Amino acid sequence: MTSLILSTAARYMLPLLLLFSVFLLLRGHNEPGGGFVGGLVAAAAFSLYAIAYDVATARRVLGIDPRFLIGLGLLVALGSGVVSLAQGLPFMTGLWSEYAWPILGKVGTPLLFDIGVYLVVIGVTLTIIFALAEA
Amino acid sequence: MNLILVLPLIVPLATAILTVLAGRWRWAQRWLSALGAAALLAAALALLEFVRREGIQVAYIGNWPAPYGITLAADLFSAIMLVLAGLMGLAVAVYSLASMDPARERFGYYPLLHILLMGVCGAFLTGDIFNLYVWFEVMLVSSFVLVALGGERAQLEGAIKYVTLNLMSSALFLAAVGSLYGVAGTLNMADLAVQLHQVAQPGLVTTLSILFLVAFGIKSAIFPLFFWLPASYHTPPVAVSAIFAGLLTKVGVYALIRVFTLLFVQDVAFTHTLILILAGLTMVTGVLGAVAQNSFRRILSFHIVSQIGYMIMGLGLFTPLALAGSVFYIAHHIIVKTNLFLISGVTQRLGGSDYLKKLGGFYAAYPGLGVLFLIPALSLAGIPPLSGFWAKLTLIVAGLDTGQYAIVAVALGVSLLTLFSMTKIWGEVFWKPAPARAALPASQVGLAGMILPIAVLALLTLSIGLLAEPLLALSTAAAEQLLNPAAYIQTVLGGR
Amino acid sequence: METFLAFVIGGLYAAGLYMMMRRSIVKLIIGLSLLAHAANLLIFTLGRLTRGEPALIPPGGIRPERPIADPLPQALILTAIVIGFGVQAFAVVLIKRAYQTVGTDDLDDMKSTDTG
């Protein structure tokens, strides 16, 4: 069941939703949002693609195995915790850069952790949704 | 010393990540998994040695002081459990190299195994009751996938029961944690131990303790709540069964011992007597269930239930000697039970079946395997001079000291029935001539890799039996720390 | 408000348990998620229902200026929801696979692992 309206809309919605998910991710530090919701929105974007076309197409658009994303996300999250160990502070102590970036402000390890969560959520959600849709 | 407390969490997580990222290269995954398990064992041993020399260790995650942040705390009991987790992780990782099928390996068996180990280690290390819930969930989610991985019919049916009962227990655990926070206003276990003594309604605390007893009781498969275990543990591949049988229920037992020595000691006469009664019933039902079974791993599954009874018997008696017996028993049981499951995998590989009727003639064909089976089997029944004898002896002496003759009688009777079960397996699988039709050409590929961990674990059982003194001394020290929580509380809440 | 929520929680637990006692595995999963919701709402209610500001101290201050709401129960519920999301998503995949393999959604026909 392919619908012309849905498949055309999905093509335009995908970049918009991804952009929105990154917005949610970056906003999450001080305001409602964060890696989890951002990841869900991004996963929803690819799921929409899978509904509008099929899972194989959605996988091709994603480009990499969602399970690889889980590993990558965990790696980033673990890295954010280990940074403080290297400085002799307890595991997962929050550290921030001195320099304030435009838009982002001071970048710290919590943001890194959130990016890890973002990637893990995309990976887990898409693994499950693709598995459900393919079976 | 922060690093040494965090390493048992970082090592399995890093191993899981690396095995995921190495997804395409099967050989890399396999070697990373074995190396990671060895590293975990080394980290756990280092922690045990450190705790033994320097006393209880605490780490404040994110540098937030207790009781506000999440604390990790390792006393001797935690450290012993961590070493056992590392040991079983390594044994099963090596065994998996020889026995796991490529389809399961491709789907992510190794990352899941290490995430499971991380969950187990986290549960042993955490000093925060909500964090304990989170680690339980980490462990459960990976075990859910492991139990269903492969998708055979029996596996899926077993998985539904396993998932349902464990989710129910999680919901109860969560409700209990929420209520505890409502009553005491804190979640840090050391702080809770202080606050719970000042609660205006002690009856409420006892009620909550029963909620925890039910939640952890499902996870550790004690008397009326064990039905999920024999329905699911024999369905996945042997390596998975073995790590489940060795570690998962013991995490439940660990949680029971932790909360009923640290938090809920206000009404010992009621709660711990209840635990003692449940211990007796658990022993009896488990062993009677095993008698009725006719497949190797189903017999072993029921024996897990029965043995859990011994572990919480020590908690119910609540004396230093009894708790030392519990700790010793857990150590003995984890090694022996994992080993028996691993052996059932070898007989299944060689005999092509798990049913006693279809197996036979193993002693004539493989006498070495027979000896390797006898060591853990007799140890499980408590025959001297093997490790099980000392574990049971300690518990029984503790029972006699406190005048609880009924539970001592039950424990001795159940021992005899355990011996009967083990001789049944011995008679059917090893002694009886091979059934006529079972002339399957047995696949010998990779058998050495399966025998190696079995032999090492058997050797360990033997040496614990012959040199029981060091482990007994360690268990006694651990039990003393458990019964005098003042030092634990002081270390967690006190200075940094 | 507490009384009302107590009834809601009780209703959720009752509905969840009722669904779990049905023979269909789909209803089993629905029951399980209802139980999780009941537990979350229980934490929310037991964490004291107070109207208050976010628990933030203004720059330079040492204590919050107005009454604050306890953020901890909310953090607990958020964590529990995230975990529940993952677990229930897995459970849905599991029952779908089980339905395809066994060919029925009736729990009474899934006894092969009990009778051995």
Side-chain angles (χ1 to χ4, degrees), chain A residues 1-2 46-61 130 133-134:
Chain A
M1 187 200 76
T2 47
F46 289 105
S47 311
L48 185 67
Y49 223 80
I51 294 168
Y53 298 90
D54 55 5
V55 175
T57 319
R59 273 189 197 279
R60 210 175 50 242
V61 171
F130 287 169
E134 273 170 348

Side-chain angles (χ1 to χ4, degrees), chain B residues 279-326:
Chain B
L281 289 169
T282 309
M283 287 182 213
V284 173
T285 44
V287 86
L288 290 182
V291 170
Q293 301 305 318
N294 52 13
S295 110
F296 200 152
R297 273 191 275 162
R298 284 180 63 86
I299 294 181
L300 293 180
S301 297
F302 270 102
H303 274 294
I304 301 176
V305 177
S306 159
Q307 311 281 314
I308 298 285
Y310 285 95
M311 294 170 213
I312 62 169
M313 168 184 165
L315 177 63
L317 291 170
F318 208 52
T319 64
L321 188 64
L323 272 174
S326 279

Side-chain angles (χ1 to χ4, degrees), chain B residues 9-30:
Chain B
L9 302 177
I10 294 183
V11 168
L13 180 58
T15 314
I17 293 169
L18 289 176
T19 45
V20 171
L21 296 184
R24 232 167 268 174
W25 302 284
R26 189 166 151 239
W27 60 269
Q29 267 197 327
R30 292 156 62 89

Side-chain angles (χ1 to χ4, degrees), chain B residues 392-413:
Chain B
K392 283 184 179 159
L393 184 71
T394 320
L395 283 172
I396 283 167
V397 170
L400 291 176
D401 280 352
T402 43
Q404 301 280 5
Y405 300 114
I407 192 82
V408 170
V410 170
L412 289 172

Side-chain angles (χ1 to χ4, degrees), chain B residues 88 92 113 116 139-148 162 166 228-229 232-251 304 333 337-338 341:
Chain B
M88 292 313 112
V92 169
L113 178 68
L116 180 79
M139 176 182 101
L140 282 179
V141 170
S142 46
S143 76
F144 290 165
V145 187
L146 278 175
V147 87
Y162 179 74
N166 277 296
W228 57 271
L229 192 152
S232 62
Y233 266 26
H234 62 288
T235 58
V238 178
V240 177
S241 287
I243 194 102
F244 280 25
L247 283 180
L248 294 200
T249 45
K250 262 52 75 182
V251 182
I304 301 176
H333 172 89
K337 185 58 81 179
T338 307
F341 267 88

Side-chain angles (χ1 to χ4, degrees), chain C residues 35-95:
Chain C
L35 279 193
H37 291 320
N40 288 339
L41 211 51
L42 183 73
I43 299 178
F44 182 62
T45 315
L46 282 171
R48 308 280 186 280
L49 295 172
T50 47
R51 222 171 249 279
E53 300 281 306
L56 293 173
I57 301 170
I62 48 167
R63 62 167 60 90
E65 286 165 349
R66 269 167 291 183
I68 56 161
D70 187 353
L72 201 72
Q74 300 168 24
L76 301 189
I77 294 169
L78 195 62
T79 315
I81 288 175
V82 171
I83 292 174
F85 162 78
V87 171
Q88 282 156 23
F90 170 76
V92 169
V93 178
L94 176 70
I95 61 164

Side-chain angles (χ1 to χ4, degrees), chain B residues 31-52:
Chain B
W31 284 108
L32 280 170
S33 156
L35 277 178
L40 176 62
L41 178 60
L45 279 172
L47 180 64
L48 176 63
E49 178 56 25
F50 197 74
V51 171
R52 211 170 58 80

